[in-house]
Amino acid sequence: MSRHFLQIPGPTNVPDSVLRAMSAPTIDHRGPEFAALGLEVLRDIRPVFGTEGPVVIYPASGTGAWEAALVNTLSPGDKVLCFETGHFATLWQEMAGKLGLDVEFVPGDWRRGADPEAVLRHLSADTGHTIKAVCVVHNETSTGVTSRVPAVRAAIDAAGHPALLLVDTISSLGSIDYRHDEWGVDVTVAGSQKGLMLPPGLSFNAVSDKALHASRTAGLAKSFWDWAPILAANERGFFPYTPATNLLYGLREALRLLYDEGLDAVFERHIRHAEATRAAVRGWGLEVLCADEREHSAALTAVIVPDGYDADKIRAIILDRFDMSLGSGLGRLAGRVFRIGHLGDFNDLTLAGTLAGVQMGLTLAGVPIDPRGLNDALERLQTP
Amino acid sequence: MSRHFLQIPGPTNVPDSVLRAMSAPTIDHRGPEFAALGLEVLRDIRPVFGTEGPVVIYPASGTGAWEAALVNTLSPGDKVLCFETGHFATLWQEMAGKLGLDVEFVPGDWRRGADPEAVLRHLSADTGHTIKAVCVVHNETSTGVTSRVPAVRAAIDAAGHPALLLVDTISSLGSIDYRHDEWGVDVTVAGSQKGLMLPPGLSFNAVSDKALHASRTAGLAKSFWDWAPILAANERGFFPYTPATNLLYGLREALRLLYDEGLDAVFERHIRHAEATRAAVRGWGLEVLCADEREHSAALTAVIVPDGYDADKIRAIILDRFDMSLGSGLGRLAGRVFRIGHLGDFNDLTLAGTLAGVQMGLTLAGVPIDPRGLNDALERLQTP
Amino acid sequence: MSRHFLQIPGPTNVPDSVLRAMSAPTIDHRGPEFAALGLEVLRDIRPVFGTEGPVVIYPASGTGAWEAALVNTLSPGDKVLCFETGHFATLWQEMAGKLGLDVEFVPGDWRRGADPEAVLRHLSADTGHTIKAVCVVHNETSTGVTSRVPAVRAAIDAAGHPALLLVDTISSLGSIDYRHDEWGVDVTVAGSQKGLMLPPGLSFNAVSDKALHASRTAGLAKSFWDWAPILAANERGFFPYTPATNLLYGLREALRLLYDEGLDAVFERHIRHAEATRAAVRGWGLEVLCADEREHSAALTAVIVPDGYDADKIRAIILDRFDMSLGSGLGRLAGRVFRIGHLGDFNDLTLAGTLAGVQMGLTLAGVPIDPRGLNDALERLQTP
Amino acid sequence: MSRHFLQIPGPTNVPDSVLRAMSAPTIDHRGPEFAALGLEVLRDIRPVFGTEGPVVIYPASGTGAWEAALVNTLSPGDKVLCFETGHFATLWQEMAGKLGLDVEFVPGDWRRGADPEAVLRHLSADTGHTIKAVCVVHNETSTGVTSRVPAVRAAIDAAGHPALLLVDTISSLGSIDYRHDEWGVDVTVAGSQKGLMLPPGLSFNAVSDKALHASRTAGLAKSFWDWAPILAANERGFFPYTPATNLLYGLREALRLLYDEGLDAVFERHIRHAEATRAAVRGWGLEVLCADEREHSAALTAVIVPDGYDADKIRAIILDRFDMSLGSGLGRLAGRVFRIGHLGDFNDLTLAGTLAGVQMGLTLAGVPIDPRGLNDALERLQTP
């Protein structure tokens, strides 16, 4: 009975009004009504990326936009610099390898973001400019760590290196402050099902002039992901092949919700909820996975389970008894952490219910915790 | 952002699948597809009333079903015995007066249910059998007190009195165990927007043979509410005038949800949530309005606000800061209590979020409470 | 497969956006968000009635608003003048009788509207002003005949008679030009499920000052239907008992659709569709039931089936083979006519499909028709 | 007012129940509820393809599935044999070229399907088996011509050639009889937004054992489209990256609708509607584009506009006056044809309305036609 608590770090809870918007009849994607819709969403998607440039919208889920960022800008054998910040960073560099790129993967402990000093070090050493792109996951969905993109940008600049900066914002866009133009990002990769509060099925590439320039000579084979025909058709609000019309209806409504609340207010809300969540975790006497205070994610919190307890069993109890889904530990974190998503369409009382469910689940699983953790969270929530 | 917490004691949160069912296209109310729908809901509505007899469905909200119960069974000047259990009992007897009935209204303190001993006393004294009906509100929505209908029935029987027993279950049906046939109720009045988890717009009369018999000679003027043509048309699944088709779609789905969960499980769930709520209230150091342990409502809890505090100000803070609606004090309770609805489509974590919101709101309003109240509720919720 | 053709004269096809609007979560009917909704629809409903006065909205279907019009304005034994224009006029006067009124029912042949000359004759003869109300069905849903309300008004005025004028617009409001204030109507009765394009479940009384004045002394018993507490609560956007919130969401959207198209354009569209339908009927060589050219309904057309054919069998063939519902002959017209609804959310091609279905059904039923009927309709539709 | 007539050959009209199914809340794509959904749709999608083998479901629109078919089975420089049957066949071979394949494009006149004799000729001549795949568009959406896939298969077999057979069924699947296994197709490409009656956003590859075998050594770079990790995850009902959950809800409902009607009945319905449409076109005195009686599409009909008339102006009149979208002439057919989609969720009366709209539009555009065309179509529709 009653609504499931979908507290994985995405897909997130889709607002009712977005679901309703998506249930409007599909229209002719070559007719004037569609053109108006297309022009509207292509214009209104830009502020959430912090860009005045073009944003390519794919009728595909986020992984596709990873591929699009690579195949549009790079050539076979190009070297890319990646950082092992977690499971998704690992998958992205694997994809780069499969597509024929030469990946330099800087190891990490899955508790920290991409290290700006490592960026500086690698790029400074690359005097021949063989590195063509630096790939950073802004918010690591597997760890709850947010890399400091402005510092990465500064490191690239300090090295005087021409590499492109490709950033994955799949689980941060619309939840955590992000500035494609100001931070000098070349391709921003995003998806619909997290901060944008849509079901999965749309993904995005925000594209800088430099990336656009690179795309003209990039040699990786591409057709579906090719920016050029899309950007050409977008001029009049159309797409070169059938777009995901009903998700675009939802996108229009989701953007309206975000801008009605105000992006700054949205980001503040996420920070507040993340702080309340960490207050609960620490109040319980448990440890947050993210090891650097500067890098706590505002979108999700990964919680380390004490030795001797299985995070997946705790999650199973919580799902069974309280009908709440939490994120599992992925890759090397399997069984050792669970992840609480607190992003997207979310409010204080739903967070309180979420944390109450975690507290009860930990108790039922026998994990020794201090039940005052929840009240610590409420104290944070009582402050605006 | 995110879903409003609608924690008034009705209308309640409507399940998504009920809202979706209601959004199907309206059909011909005189065609074969409708007949099948009509027969199905007229059959399946019976178990929730605990009856094998007919249930009349009105395309009208609950107040209409109050009127229907009276005009179908009584004649101008008939005496009816009513009990001042709260605001809605008061309104119902006012309606009886407006319709030309002679009301004997047994006073009460709004903290207790209809007193079976008073029933016995009044009926025993009425040797001439001038009292034609006893009207009881099963669950007083304004106070969170559930009258003991079986005891009322026993009192009528003990008095050997032929009066009809009319019971309002508007805020109990589908949430609190109820047995029209077993308890010898003659007319049960109900509405769609509480335990049945529908929007407002449907209301019901479950009708005993004795009530049906009375209706044949009842002299109050009636047309819209007249059972006879409705029951005649219902034989084939139809209605004598246009039914509220889309709400009937919703009713079909809501009944499916109730029976899938199982009525006993539904009632147990409501009891558990009511117990957890009282645990929180008492943990905070506050008082529950209901004064008789045998009469605590499983559907809502009315909380007395300490002297010097205004319940409506607390509600306003909670609405403003945490986007939750609570019930106000009605009539003579205005400003002195607030009411927490925990009925209908509801689950443990939503209750936890609700109680967290109340706790934070009380704190922000300066009411001195012990914050361990919420944890007391969680302890109750941890037990199945 | 595909959408059913619901071409009965109501309930009509509900626009998708209205169904979507209705599927929003139910809100607190005593909270500020509801007050804003209430004030909005109570204001915006007025233009479609052609009134600047109050419109009472009931959470009940149209038959209830018939009862409301009578019980608010009349006293037991009051004489009312009614006209036998068809099945629904017959039902309304039956209701008046059941409620204790003294009905004078002017006979009719079910092919014409209320006769203004008869109005003049009866009222002129009633020198003692014992007739308290004249009841007219604006658009007889059973016959497709639209009474000339301004001429009825003129007849009342010519007789210098103080009787109230009560008009049923259940199947005309929002489809056929109607002017409560300008025509001097005292109570206009309407429902949600025809020209207002909503599911059934709301009904209306537009109320003149004179009717309001009458209501203060009207002696029929009333409670649910009583205007006084409703109008009082409406001042702040509320209702005295639970309103049908989700239908009010739909009403807001339906009014938006009507005013976006423009009421004049809506009425013109209905006239065009009615003309095209009559062109088809006459082209087929069949007869329209309405016998007076001044009284053809713009909302539906009743078609007389030639002797020897059963209208219900034709309807059954059309339902079975082409998934289209048509209206049956009601009362004394059973089996002799079928009715084509062309009102509400409707457009040229849906009408063409409707008429094609009727033509094919007549052919399959063996009714001798000229198949050029459909093309005659298209010729009308080709003209704006 | 009223529903738009979306009579382009896809996206098609989405059934209400599919739209409602899609508006259910998104669930955890790694949880047990999703696994059940995944296993169900992965199993139930097979019959519509006529296969007992795996069907890969992409969260992407149909063009992506074209790319997937190529990159999973072929290596850079591989030769593929394509047939110029129309606009989409032209686009697919262009994509093949972009992806690094060597395309042999057999010219055509856009009025006929892929020529089995040409298949035989080219493959027989290719004694060195340099041709690795034959690509055929089953139903050319731009021309309304259905290639005879069994004859193509027979030609490949007659040539004793090992080339893979890749078939695009984007606008035929679920509308026109198709048998992946029986016809020996290796990869069948499909999309959600035509005969499957969903919004765009899902696409499919049905995969033969031979194709699966080829995929193990295929050298084109791939990651997002790679079958291997998808098929592995599908074993337990999951996907390697976020699936388009809400479209999968819709797919489940759409498959239910198709199987409830019965695939044979669905195909018969499409044939009947296509025959009725051709009867209208010929009755008007116009020419159908498809030049081979064996190859008429059951999903759409392309109509040649007489010299001196502009098909796009006719379409604009029809859109403006009758709110109906028709398909434009694509590529070399621009302005010379319009296309009537009669596929997906469609019924007799909607087709009648559609053809009435075309007839009126042609008349208004001044195209000389015989108005008996519509009646010719109705004669066909009167026969089951």
Side-chain angles (χ1 to χ4, degrees):
Chain A
M1 270 293 147
S2 195
R3 280 219 156 176
H4 179 70
F5 272 63
L6 182 70
Q7 300 316 134
I8 56 174
T12 62
N13 296 289
V14 180
D16 297 320
S17 68
V18 171
L19 289 169
R20 284 199 300 278
M22 284 179 48
S23 68
T26 307
I27 55 173
D28 179 6
H29 59 298
R30 300 178 198 271
E33 188 180 348
F34 186 90
L37 168 67
L39 289 172
E40 182 180 346
V41 295
L42 287 164
R43 178 195 67 207
D44 290 348
I45 190 68
R46 296 182 179 195
V48 73
F49 280 92
T51 186
E52 297 186 349
V55 176
V56 174
I57 305 178
Y58 292 105
S61 59
T63 301
W66 268 357
E67 184 158 323
L70 299 173
V71 299
N72 274 286
T73 55
L74 299 165
S75 298
D78 275 358
K79 182 178 277 190
V80 294
L81 181 66
C82 300
F83 298 86
E84 190 197 2
T85 53
H87 185 65
F88 291 98
T90 302
L91 290 178
W92 196 14
Q93 63 83 28
E94 276 178 21
M95 170 184 269
K98 285 189 181 187
L99 294 173
L101 299 169
D102 175 17
V103 181
E104 181 154 357
F105 195 41
V106 181
D109 68 356
W110 294 42
R111 300 189 67 175
R112 287 167 182 81
D115 180 6
E117 305 219 353
V119 173
L120 179 60
R121 201 163 55 242
H122 280 82
L123 294 188
S124 298
D126 179 38
T127 51
H129 294 173
T130 60
I131 294 172
K132 298 303 180 195
V134 176
C135 298
V136 173
V137 174
H138 183 218
N139 186 64
E140 241 302 344
T141 319
S142 63
T143 62
V145 175
T146 304
S147 285
R148 290 162 288 146
V149 175
V152 170
R153 173 78 263 166
I156 298 172
D157 292 346
H161 196 287
L164 295 164
L165 176 56
L166 313 185
V167 178
D168 165 358
T169 66
I170 287 178
S171 64
S172 59
L173 195 89
S175 296
I176 300 173
D177 191 14
Y178 185 78
R179 307 174 186 206
H180 178 86
D181 287 358
E182 185 181 328
W183 295 351
V185 180
D186 292 303
V187 187
T188 297
V189 170
S192 54
Q193 76 275 17
K194 312 264 180 169
L196 290 180
M197 308 181 295
L198 289 162
L202 289 183
S203 54
F204 308 89
N205 276 181
V207 178
S208 74
D209 282 345
K210 188 172 163 187
L212 212 52
H213 188 78
S215 74
R216 296 199 185 104
T217 54
L220 284 174
K222 60 184 169 287
S223 177
F224 183 82
W225 307 114
D226 192 356
W227 293 339
I230 298 174
L231 292 175
N234 282 179
E235 294 282 325
R236 296 187 303 126
F238 293 116
F239 290 84
Y241 44 79
T242 316
T245 304
N246 291 52
L247 282 162
L248 296 176
Y249 297 156
L251 178 59
R252 175 164 55 182
E253 173 63 11
L255 291 172
R256 193 190 65 73
L257 291 172
L258 284 176
Y259 299 141
D260 272 8
E261 184 175 357
L263 284 180
D264 285 345
V266 169
F267 301 147
E268 279 304 312
R269 169 167 56 83
H270 281 80
I271 289 169
R272 249 176 99 244
H273 288 166
E275 288 176 356
T277 302
R278 290 198 298 277
V281 173
R282 289 162 179 168
W284 294 326
L286 300 181
E287 190 180 358
V288 170
L289 180 65
C290 175
D292 186 327
E293 277 300 315
R294 298 168 298 180
E295 297 180 333
H296 282 305
S297 171
L300 76 143
T301 300
V303 181
I304 301 177
V305 166
D307 284 344
Y309 297 94
D310 179 347
D312 289 337
K313 282 195 186 147
I314 298 167
R315 290 194 317 112
I317 288 169
I318 291 172
L319 179 60
D320 178 53
R321 284 291 306 280
F322 303 112
D323 197 28
M324 175 161 67
S325 298
L326 297 174
S328 60
L330 295 171
R332 65 154 81 162
L333 297 170
R336 293 179 42 218
V337 308
F338 62 85
R339 295 171 295 139
I340 304 169
H342 35 71
L343 74 166
D345 184 44
F346 205 55
N347 62 20
D348 288 10
L349 299 193
T350 309
L351 176 62
T354 295
L355 296 176
V358 173
Q359 178 166 311
M360 291 192 285
L362 288 165
T363 303
L364 288 168
V367 179
I369 58 164
D370 184 330
R372 284 174 298 189
L374 179 55
N375 276 333
D376 291 349
L378 297 196
E379 271 189 35
R380 177 64 192 89
L381 291 178
Q382 275 162 216
T383 314
Chain B
M1 269 295 148
S2 196
R3 279 219 157 176
H4 179 69
F5 271 63
L6 182 70
Q7 299 316 134
I8 55 174
T12 63
N13 296 290
V14 180
D16 297 320
S17 68
V18 171
L19 290 170
R20 285 199 299 280
M22 284 179 49
S23 68
T26 307
I27 56 174
D28 179 6
H29 59 298
R30 300 178 198 271
E33 188 180 348
F34 186 90
L37 168 68
L39 290 172
E40 182 181 346
V41 296
L42 287 164
R43 178 194 68 207
D44 290 347
I45 190 69
R46 295 181 180 195
V48 73
F49 281 91
T51 187
E52 297 185 348
V55 177
V56 174
I57 305 178
Y58 293 106
S61 59
T63 300
W66 269 356
E67 185 158 323
L70 300 173
V71 299
N72 274 287
T73 56
L74 299 166
S75 298
D78 276 358
K79 183 178 278 189
V80 295
L81 181 66
C82 300
F83 297 87
E84 190 196 2
T85 54
H87 185 66
F88 291 98
T90 303
L91 290 178
W92 196 14
Q93 63 84 28
E94 275 178 21
M95 169 185 271
K98 283 188 182 185
L99 294 174
L101 299 169
D102 175 17
V103 181
E104 181 154 356
F105 194 42
V106 181
D109 69 355
W110 294 42
R111 300 189 66 174
R112 286 166 183 82
D115 179 6
E117 305 218 353
V119 173
L120 179 60
R121 201 163 54 241
H122 280 81
L123 294 188
S124 299
D126 179 39
T127 51
H129 295 175
T130 59
I131 294 173
K132 299 303 180 194
V134 176
C135 297
V136 174
V137 173
H138 183 219
N139 186 63
E140 241 301 345
T141 319
S142 63
T143 63
V145 175
T146 304
S147 285
R148 290 162 289 147
V149 175
V152 169
R153 173 78 264 166
I156 298 172
D157 293 346
H161 196 287
L164 295 165
L165 176 56
L166 314 185
V167 178
D168 165 357
T169 66
I170 287 178
S171 64
S172 58
L173 194 90
S175 297
I176 299 174
D177 191 15
Y178 185 78
R179 307 174 186 206
H180 178 86
D181 288 359
E182 185 182 329
W183 295 351
V185 179
D186 292 302
V187 187
T188 297
V189 170
S192 54
Q193 75 274 17
K194 312 264 179 169
L196 291 180
M197 309 180 295
L198 289 162
L202 289 183
S203 55
F204 308 90
N205 276 181
V207 178
S208 74
D209 282 346
K210 187 173 164 187
L212 212 52
H213 187 78
S215 75
R216 294 196 188 107
T217 54
L220 283 175
K222 59 183 170 289
S223 176
F224 184 82
W225 307 115
D226 193 355
W227 292 339
I230 298 173
L231 291 174
N234 282 178
E235 294 283 325
R236 296 186 302 125
F238 293 116
F239 290 84
Y241 44 80
T242 316
T245 305
N246 291 53
L247 282 162
L248 295 177
Y249 297 155
L251 177 59
R252 176 164 54 183
E253 172 63 12
L255 291 172
R256 192 189 66 72
L257 292 172
L258 284 176
Y259 299 142
D260 273 8
E261 184 175 357
L263 284 181
D264 285 344
V266 169
F267 300 147
E268 279 305 311
R269 169 166 58 82
H270 282 78
I271 289 169
R272 250 177 97 245
H273 287 167
E275 289 176 354
T277 302
R278 290 198 298 278
V281 174
R282 289 162 179 168
W284 293 326
L286 300 182
E287 191 180 356
V288 170
L289 180 65
C290 176
D292 186 327
E293 275 301 313
R294 298 168 298 180
E295 297 181 333
H296 281 304
S297 170
L300 76 142
T301 301
V303 181
I304 301 176
V305 166
D307 285 343
Y309 298 93
D310 178 349
D312 289 337
K313 281 195 185 147
I314 297 166
R315 291 194 315 112
I317 287 170
I318 290 171
L319 178 60
D320 178 52
R321 283 291 306 279
F322 302 113
D323 198 28
M324 175 161 67
S325 297
L326 297 172
S328 59
L330 294 172
R332 64 154 83 163
L333 297 170
R336 294 178 42 216
V337 308
F338 60 86
R339 295 172 296 140
I340 303 170
H342 35 70
L343 75 166
D345 184 44
F346 205 54
N347 63 18
D348 288 10
L349 300 193
T350 309
L351 176 62
T354 296
L355 297 175
V358 174
Q359 177 166 313
M360 290 192 285
L362 289 165
T363 304
L364 289 168
V367 180
I369 58 163
D370 185 329
R372 283 173 299 189
L374 179 55
N375 276 333
D376 292 348
L378 297 196
E379 271 188 36
R380 176 64 193 89
L381 292 177
Q382 275 162 219
T383 314
Chain C
M1 270 294 146
S2 195
R3 280 219 155 175
H4 180 69
F5 272 64
L6 183 71
Q7 299 316 134
I8 57 174
T12 62
N13 297 289
V14 179
D16 298 320
S17 68
V18 171
L19 290 170
R20 284 199 301 278
M22 284 178 49
S23 67
T26 307
I27 55 173
D28 179 6
H29 59 298
R30 300 179 199 270
E33 188 180 348
F34 186 91
L37 168 67
L39 290 172
E40 182 180 346
V41 296
L42 288 164
R43 177 194 68 206
D44 290 347
I45 190 68
R46 296 181 179 195
V48 73
F49 281 91
T51 188
E52 297 185 350
V55 177
V56 174
I57 304 179
Y58 292 107
S61 59
T63 301
W66 268 358
E67 186 159 321
L70 300 173
V71 300
N72 274 287
T73 57
L74 299 165
S75 298
D78 275 358
K79 183 177 276 189
V80 294
L81 181 66
C82 300
F83 297 86
E84 189 196 2
T85 53
H87 185 65
F88 290 98
T90 302
L91 290 178
W92 196 14
Q93 64 83 29
E94 276 177 21
M95 170 184 271
K98 284 187 180 187
L99 294 174
L101 299 169
D102 175 17
V103 180
E104 181 155 358
F105 195 41
V106 182
D109 68 356
W110 294 40
R111 301 190 64 176
R112 286 167 183 82
D115 180 6
E117 305 219 353
V119 173
L120 179 59
R121 203 161 55 240
H122 280 82
L123 294 188
S124 298
D126 178 38
T127 51
H129 294 174
T130 60
I131 294 172
K132 297 304 179 193
V134 176
C135 297
V136 174
V137 174
H138 183 218
N139 187 63
E140 241 301 345
T141 319
S142 63
T143 63
V145 174
T146 304
S147 285
R148 289 161 290 146
V149 175
V152 170
R153 173 79 263 166
I156 298 172
D157 292 346
H161 196 287
L164 295 165
L165 175 56
L166 313 185
V167 178
D168 164 357
T169 65
I170 287 178
S171 64
S172 60
L173 195 90
S175 296
I176 300 173
D177 191 15
Y178 185 78
R179 306 172 186 209
H180 178 87
D181 287 359
E182 184 182 328
W183 296 350
V185 180
D186 292 302
V187 187
T188 296
V189 170
S192 55
Q193 75 275 19
K194 313 265 179 168
L196 290 180
M197 309 181 296
L198 289 162
L202 288 183
S203 55
F204 308 90
N205 277 181
V207 178
S208 74
D209 282 345
K210 188 173 164 186
L212 213 51
H213 188 78
S215 74
R216 293 194 189 111
T217 55
L220 284 174
K222 59 182 169 288
S223 177
F224 183 82
W225 307 114
D226 192 354
W227 292 339
I230 299 173
L231 292 174
N234 283 179
E235 294 283 324
R236 296 187 301 127
F238 293 116
F239 290 84
Y241 45 79
T242 317
T245 305
N246 291 53
L247 282 162
L248 296 177
Y249 297 156
L251 177 59
R252 176 164 54 183
E253 172 64 11
L255 291 172
R256 192 190 65 72
L257 291 172
L258 284 176
Y259 299 142
D260 272 8
E261 184 175 357
L263 284 180
D264 286 345
V266 169
F267 300 148
E268 279 303 312
R269 170 166 58 82
H270 281 79
I271 289 170
R272 249 177 97 244
H273 287 167
E275 288 176 355
T277 302
R278 291 198 298 278
V281 175
R282 289 161 178 168
W284 292 327
L286 299 181
E287 192 180 355
V288 169
L289 180 65
C290 175
D292 186 328
E293 276 300 315
R294 297 168 299 179
E295 298 181 333
H296 282 303
S297 169
L300 76 142
T301 301
V303 180
I304 301 177
V305 165
D307 284 344
Y309 297 94
D310 178 348
D312 288 337
K313 282 196 184 147
I314 297 167
R315 290 194 315 113
I317 288 170
I318 289 171
L319 178 60
D320 178 54
R321 285 292 306 280
F322 303 113
D323 197 27
M324 175 160 68
S325 297
L326 297 173
S328 61
L330 294 172
R332 66 155 80 164
L333 297 170
R336 293 178 45 217
V337 309
F338 62 84
R339 294 171 297 140
I340 304 169
H342 36 69
L343 74 167
D345 185 42
F346 205 55
N347 63 18
D348 288 11
L349 299 192
T350 309
L351 176 62
T354 296
L355 296 175
V358 173
Q359 177 166 313
M360 289 192 286
L362 288 165
T363 303
L364 289 168
V367 180
I369 58 161
D370 184 329
R372 283 172 300 189
L374 178 55
N375 276 333
D376 292 349
L378 297 197
E379 272 191 31
R380 176 65 193 86
L381 291 178
Q382 276 162 218
T383 313
Chain D
M1 270 293 148
S2 195
R3 279 219 157 178
H4 180 69
F5 272 63
L6 183 69
Q7 299 317 134
I8 56 173
T12 62
N13 297 290
V14 180
D16 297 320
S17 68
V18 171
L19 289 170
R20 283 199 300 278
M22 285 178 48
S23 68
T26 307
I27 56 174
D28 179 6
H29 59 298
R30 300 179 198 269
E33 187 180 349
F34 186 90
L37 167 68
L39 289 172
E40 182 181 346
V41 296
L42 287 164
R43 178 194 67 206
D44 290 348
I45 190 69
R46 295 182 180 195
V48 73
F49 280 92
T51 187
E52 297 184 349
V55 176
V56 175
I57 305 179
Y58 291 107
S61 59
T63 301
W66 268 356
E67 185 158 321
L70 299 173
V71 298
N72 274 286
T73 56
L74 299 165
S75 298
D78 275 358
K79 183 179 276 191
V80 295
L81 181 66
C82 301
F83 297 86
E84 189 197 3
T85 54
H87 184 66
F88 290 98
T90 302
L91 290 178
W92 196 13
Q93 62 83 30
E94 276 178 21
M95 170 185 270
K98 284 187 180 187
L99 294 173
L101 299 169
D102 175 16
V103 181
E104 180 155 357
F105 196 40
V106 181
D109 69 355
W110 293 41
R111 301 190 64 175
R112 285 165 182 83
D115 180 7
E117 305 219 353
V119 173
L120 179 60
R121 201 162 54 240
H122 280 81
L123 293 188
S124 300
D126 179 40
T127 51
H129 294 173
T130 59
I131 294 173
K132 297 304 179 194
V134 176
C135 298
V136 173
V137 174
H138 183 219
N139 187 64
E140 242 300 345
T141 318
S142 63
T143 64
V145 175
T146 304
S147 284
R148 290 162 288 146
V149 174
V152 169
R153 173 78 262 165
I156 298 172
D157 292 347
H161 196 286
L164 295 165
L165 175 56
L166 313 185
V167 178
D168 164 358
T169 67
I170 287 178
S171 64
S172 59
L173 194 91
S175 297
I176 299 174
D177 191 14
Y178 185 78
R179 307 172 185 209
H180 178 85
D181 288 359
E182 184 181 329
W183 296 350
V185 179
D186 292 303
V187 187
T188 297
V189 171
S192 55
Q193 76 275 18
K194 313 266 179 166
L196 290 180
M197 309 180 296
L198 290 162
L202 290 183
S203 54
F204 309 90
N205 276 181
V207 178
S208 75
D209 282 345
K210 187 172 164 187
L212 213 51
H213 187 79
S215 74
R216 294 193 189 110
T217 54
L220 284 174
K222 59 183 169 287
S223 176
F224 184 82
W225 307 114
D226 192 356
W227 293 338
I230 298 174
L231 291 174
N234 282 179
E235 294 283 325
R236 296 188 302 126
F238 293 116
F239 289 85
Y241 44 80
T242 317
T245 305
N246 292 52
L247 282 162
L248 296 177
Y249 297 155
L251 177 59
R252 176 164 54 182
E253 171 65 11
L255 291 172
R256 193 190 64 74
L257 291 173
L258 284 175
Y259 299 141
D260 272 8
E261 185 174 358
L263 284 181
D264 286 345
V266 169
F267 300 148
E268 279 304 311
R269 170 166 58 82
H270 281 80
I271 289 169
R272 249 178 96 243
H273 287 167
E275 288 176 355
T277 302
R278 292 199 296 279
V281 174
R282 287 161 179 168
W284 293 326
L286 300 181
E287 192 180 357
V288 169
L289 180 65
C290 175
D292 186 327
E293 276 301 314
R294 299 168 297 179
E295 299 180 332
H296 282 303
S297 169
L300 77 143
T301 301
V303 181
I304 301 177
V305 166
D307 285 344
Y309 298 93
D310 178 348
D312 288 338
K313 282 195 183 147
I314 297 167
R315 290 194 317 112
I317 288 169
I318 290 170
L319 179 59
D320 178 53
R321 284 293 305 281
F322 303 112
D323 198 27
M324 175 161 67
S325 297
L326 297 173
S328 61
L330 295 172
R332 66 154 82 163
L333 296 170
R336 292 180 44 217
V337 309
F338 62 85
R339 295 171 297 141
I340 304 170
H342 35 70
L343 75 165
D345 184 43
F346 205 54
N347 62 19
D348 288 10
L349 299 192
T350 309
L351 176 62
T354 296
L355 296 175
V358 174
Q359 177 166 313
M360 289 192 285
L362 288 165
T363 303
L364 289 168
V367 179
I369 58 162
D370 184 329
R372 284 172 300 189
L374 178 56
N375 276 333
D376 292 349
L378 297 196
E379 272 190 31
R380 178 64 192 88
L381 291 177
Q382 276 162 218
T383 314

